[in-house]
Amino acid sequence: MSDMINYIWIWKQIKNGAGSPGNLEEVIIEIFVITTRGLEPVSAGELALLPGVQVVETAYRRVSARIEGDLARLLRLRTVDDVFLPVGEWDGLVPQRAALDRIRAESLRLELKAAVEAIAGLRDVGANISFSVSVNFVGRRNYSAEEIKTLVAEGVAGRYGWGYGDENRTSLNLRVFIEHERAWLGLRLSAHPLHDRLYKQAHISGSLKPPVAAAMLMLAEPHPAATVLDPFCGAGTIAIEAGLVGLVPLAFDHEASALAAAAENARLAGVSLRLGQVDARRLALGSGSVELLAANLPWGRQVPVSDAVGDFYRQVCAEIERVLVSGGRAVLLTNLPQLLSFERLTLHRQVEISLFGQAPSILVVN
Ligand SMILES: C[S@@+](CC[C@H](N)C(=O)[O-])C[C@H]1O[C@@H](n2cnc3c(N)ncnc32)[C@H](O)[C@@H]1O
């Protein structure tokens, strides 16, 4: 880590009431977020919107930043998978098994107490701390994520005497994010993964990861309080994420079971959702009546579409073009971008992402 951060000091400042905005302005903390591959600039942009946040590096699935002031604001980020306090950076993690000795030795030296104090300032970590370890890596290597996890868990349990367990049952999560020969280690700020929205209890096949839905909406750059139509709403992820940032969602699907899931999730999210059982090829809306349309189109494999996919996409594109107001926008996620074709609308932006082992694209057209 470049600057060694004194989290304990920062936490004491807040606890002693010295944490008035005036004092906190002088305190700078390093953090990093993990996001979906392809959405790094979107997450960096979301971070940069927070007052007092300076993005310092945007890398593969990771954005590092410095933040002045209240850390709790980071728990409200919508496009990221998770936010971490950095606790170490290791390099030289070669693909050969010799790297395991290095991981074992480094794990025994991990200094976590200060970061734990800072997290305890935000939420209850319990009197008896328990922890889980998650490992992600990019690049081939001759050892597994499970082997890394075991070594790190043994090191931390041996040093601190904390109980090790499953991610859902422990108060702390230690993430080891390895990019080729370098590892970034961080303690997750939140108790639960940020991408795992608590409102999402009713599921349907092909349902979207909420941070991707939030990123699609950010990419569309909607006007505040704009109405957003998702004509393929499924379990309602895009519509609910829209409602949670002050947009006015309208959610259609041709399946009653999807609409029931969307209604239940919206209720849990506290979002008011107007629903309609409608075929997306014949939207029950006037021409030029929709300001923003956001959808994750059925891909044919994951979700069956009634006509041949090419034909289906042609009809859907024509209907999108019909209902959009002049100057309106559509943001569409699909792994068949070549099938999107419009007479009037033009491509404004295209971003390829990684999702469920596939590489679909988000397209913004207007
Ligand atoms: C990929 S899923 C959408 C997932 C949704 N974004 C979510 O997060 O749950 C596609 C949805 O399109 C719906 N669908 C498929 N064909 C349709 C059509 N012709 N009209 C309306 N909805 C349709 C399916 O019922 C399914 O719910």
Side-chain angles (χ1 to χ4, degrees), residues 204 206-208 231-235 237 253-255 278-280 296 303 312:
I204 64 141
S207 197
L208 193 55
F232 297 99
C233 74
T237 321
D253 202 287
H254 70 167
E255 287 284 351
V278 175
D279 188 319
N296 134 222
V303 178
F312 180 81

Side-chain angles (χ1 to χ4, degrees), residues 14-65:
I14 300 166
K15 212 156 58 175
N16 296 338
S20 65
N23 287 329
L24 285 177
E25 266 166 30
E26 287 147 34
V27 177
I28 298 178
I29 270 197
E30 285 185 5
I31 56 114
F32 69 88
V33 303
I34 296 296
T35 189
T36 304
R37 203 275 294 165
L39 293 180
E40 299 90 347
V42 179
S43 295
E46 188 186 16
L47 269 167
L49 283 176
L50 297 176
V53 170
Q54 188 198 356
V55 171
V56 290
E57 189 187 6
T58 302
Y60 176 87
R61 289 201 62 203
R62 180 179 54 81
V63 181
S64 296

